[in-house]
Amino acid sequence: MNVVVIGAQWGDEGKGKIVDYLAEDAKYVVRYAGGPNAGHTIVVDGKQYALHQVPSGILYADKQVFLGSGMVIDAEAFFNELQMLKDNGINWEGRVFISDRAHLILPRYRQMDKDRDAARKRPIGTTGRGMGIAYAEKAHRDGVRLADLDWPEKMAEFDGEDKEYLDKYRDRLLSMRVNMAQKMFEVKGSNILFEGAQGAMLDLDSGTYPYVSSGASCAAGAATGCGIGPHDLDKIVGVFKAYQTRVGNGPMPTEFNNESEGELCQYVRDTGREYGVTTGRARRCGYLDLVALRYACRVNSLDGLVLTHLDIYDAMDQIEACVAYDINGKIVTDFPANVKDMENAKPVLEKFEGWKTPLKNCRSYDKLPKQAKDYISYIEDYCGTPVTIVSVGYEREETFVRQNPWKK
């Protein structure tokens, strides 16, 4: 059984927690896209782990995890992350593998990434981790893959700091390499969890281009980035928050107005801890965008939705969600490709009654207050996709499974 977990918004939806939760029933966990700019936060027994490149399933001692072909890897940051895990009592050795087709980020890519964004007329707001340059070099067919470290003619092309860097990590990286296509075929029939990075609205093709990531954060990326075909993807679930956030530049129609909604924005940001795991940057916050969420459901063939951070609304008398856009006086319910339309879009909001009770005290979905269930039902009806899992906190036990994705 192959289950894919993607972000259904602009990233930071709580994928790390959900992958960690679902990984209990998996044998293998594969990260299929992204790189060091991802920040997946997991809380286990009150202890927080911030992962960037290592798949979230690593916290289970009996799981093997893989960095897939669609990733771009910063070797220095990667081994620092593994050391952090070891320092925290996580024995990862012999359980972490890297696709030999994954590309590597060279140190100079980081400054190149920042310089390129600064030179843009419309800066994207890159994290400056070098990912965009690595993906660009990959597209130009000038990148360096893990397999290339064992190709003398290719390695002869590098000198100076590049050569020194690759030589430093060469043996350690090669000791972890794996042929993903071969491996996925060998373990076919096992429970495999495919972990995405960023979110559907940051996908290079279906996201808010050009304000997107450089990799495939869509569900289809699980196939292209892991050495399997699309028919082998059994279930696809998308994680979303009860509200909306975004990091960096780009259109966000439901963003709170700082002048009239500044207090609400700060409340959501602080209560939801909406600060970047990787950068520490405050995230932009806004109302849940159901137009964008339904679009993500459709273009990613989502079998189910995973709702997180529902508890952030516990203290509110009333909550609102966007059900349409007003673009220059025209009501629009389909997600547009035109950036100018997105920038001009004003949210048409639907009001919902708050529940005024701590959801963390609920121990099952059935125990949720009626108002919370009504909010969830509305989301399901609007998107045409069931909400199969609900999370009301950071801990594993604060998760309610309505439909288990591991069951056909």
Side-chain angles (χ1 to χ4, degrees):
M1 184 78 169
N2 294 333
V3 174
V4 182
V5 177
I6 72 164
Q9 295 169 314
W10 278 286
D12 310 307
E13 304 95 344
K15 293 183 297 298
K17 177 201 168 170
I18 300 306
V19 170
D20 169 75
Y21 184 85
L22 294 177
E24 183 176 7
D25 293 320
K27 187 170 184 179
Y28 307 99
V29 180
V30 186
R31 236 308 271 289
Y32 66 80
N37 67 337
H40 294 175
T41 303
I42 302 169
V43 179
V44 180
D45 297 329
K47 191 171 185 177
Q48 179 171 306
Y49 300 86
L51 300 175
H52 304 280
Q53 297 180 92
V54 179
S56 301
I58 191 63
L59 298 185
Y60 291 93
D62 60 338
K63 313 299 178 188
Q64 291 185 1
V65 303
F66 299 82
L67 284 70
S69 309
M71 288 188 67
V72 289
I73 296 166
D74 181 325
E76 180 181 10
F78 172 64
F79 286 114
N80 286 341
E81 191 171 325
L82 290 177
Q83 185 61 49
M84 176 275 293
L85 289 169
K86 185 175 182 180
D87 292 342
N88 282 276
I90 305 299
N91 181 15
W92 59 265
E93 294 186 24
R95 298 195 295 119
V96 181
F97 304 92
I98 309 172
S99 169
D100 54 10
R101 287 178 166 84
H103 279 246
L104 302 177
I105 298 173
L106 296 177
R108 58 186 171 89
Y109 289 1
R110 300 169 196 155
Q111 191 59 47
M112 290 171 65
D113 208 358
K114 296 174 185 176
D115 292 343
R116 180 171 293 185
D117 202 44
R120 289 185 172 106
K121 292 182 179 179
R122 294 179 297 275
I124 293 169
T126 174
T127 58
R129 304 286 167 168
M131 283 184 53
I133 302 300
Y135 276 118
E137 292 294 281
K138 176 180 178 178
H140 283 302
R141 291 153 292 180
D142 292 320
V144 54
R145 305 176 305 163
L146 185 59
D148 299 337
L149 298 179
D150 215 13
W151 179 14
E153 290 81 5
K154 177 67 176 180
M155 297 311 294
E157 298 174 7
F158 297 98
D159 55 20
E161 292 182 357
D162 288 349
K163 184 178 186 303
E164 182 180 343
Y165 179 81
L166 294 172
D167 285 346
K168 178 179 179 181
Y169 295 107
R170 177 184 181 277
D171 291 342
R172 294 176 71 186
L173 287 169
L174 287 177
S175 71
M176 305 169 81
R177 67 175 165 180
V178 65
N179 182 321
M180 283 301 297
Q182 178 185 352
K183 183 64 178 180
M184 292 296 97
F185 182 77
E186 289 175 356
V187 302
K188 192 172 184 177
S190 302
N191 278 0
I192 306 174
L193 187 60
F194 296 94
E195 175 184 8
Q198 285 78 51
M201 306 310 295
L202 291 174
D203 181 72
L204 188 60
D205 290 306
S206 56
T208 50
Y209 189 90
Y211 301 98
V212 293
S213 186
S214 300
S217 49
C218 60
T224 59
C226 295
I228 64 171
H231 277 301
D232 288 326
L233 304 179
D234 298 306
K235 289 283 185 69
I236 304 170
V237 296
V239 186
F240 76 105
K241 284 186 285 206
Y243 49 93
Q244 205 83 19
T245 63
R246 180 165 193 168
V247 172
N249 301 327
M252 183 181 168
T254 66
E255 185 170 10
F256 294 134
N257 184 302
N258 281 331
E259 294 183 6
S260 61
E261 299 166 319
E263 186 175 340
L264 175 60
C265 178
Q266 199 59 48
Y267 169 80
V268 170
R269 181 177 290 146
D270 290 344
T271 308
R273 298 195 286 188
E274 295 299 346
Y275 298 89
V277 176
T278 303
T279 63
R281 288 187 295 182
R283 296 173 185 141
R284 299 158 61 188
C285 299
Y287 301 106
L288 174 62
D289 189 337
L290 289 175
V291 179
L293 184 61
R294 180 169 64 184
Y295 169 75
C297 290
R298 291 174 175 176
V299 300
N300 290 283
S301 299
L302 295 187
D303 295 296
L305 285 164
V306 179
L307 171 57
T308 66
H309 287 63
L310 185 60
D311 55 301
I312 303 307
Y313 283 144
D314 284 355
M316 299 182 66
D317 295 313
Q318 180 179 272
I319 59 179
E320 296 178 276
C322 171
V323 297
Y325 301 145
D326 182 338
I327 302 178
N328 301 321
K330 182 181 179 181
I331 301 302
V332 174
T333 56
D334 290 320
F335 193 78
N338 187 285
V339 172
K340 194 63 179 177
D341 285 345
M342 290 293 293
E343 290 174 341
N344 290 333
K346 298 178 181 178
V348 177
L349 300 173
E350 182 80 17
K351 293 181 172 60
F352 301 87
E353 184 182 354
W355 39 89
K356 301 289 287 184
T357 186
L359 297 188
K360 288 180 181 291
N361 293 341
C362 301
R363 294 292 83 177
S364 70
Y365 180 83
D366 291 338
K367 299 296 184 182
L368 290 177
K370 179 181 182 299
Q371 296 89 336
K373 292 180 182 176
D374 288 344
Y375 184 55
I376 293 170
S377 293
Y378 189 95
I379 294 169
E380 292 180 312
D381 291 342
Y382 188 99
C383 294
T385 307
V387 174
T388 55
I389 300 175
V390 177
S391 170
V392 294
Y394 294 96
E395 295 283 356
R396 288 171 177 168
E397 60 268 20
E398 295 171 329
T399 312
F400 311 140
V401 178
R402 303 175 70 198
Q403 296 178 29
N404 189 338
W406 292 113
K407 294 181 179 179
K408 293 186 178 180

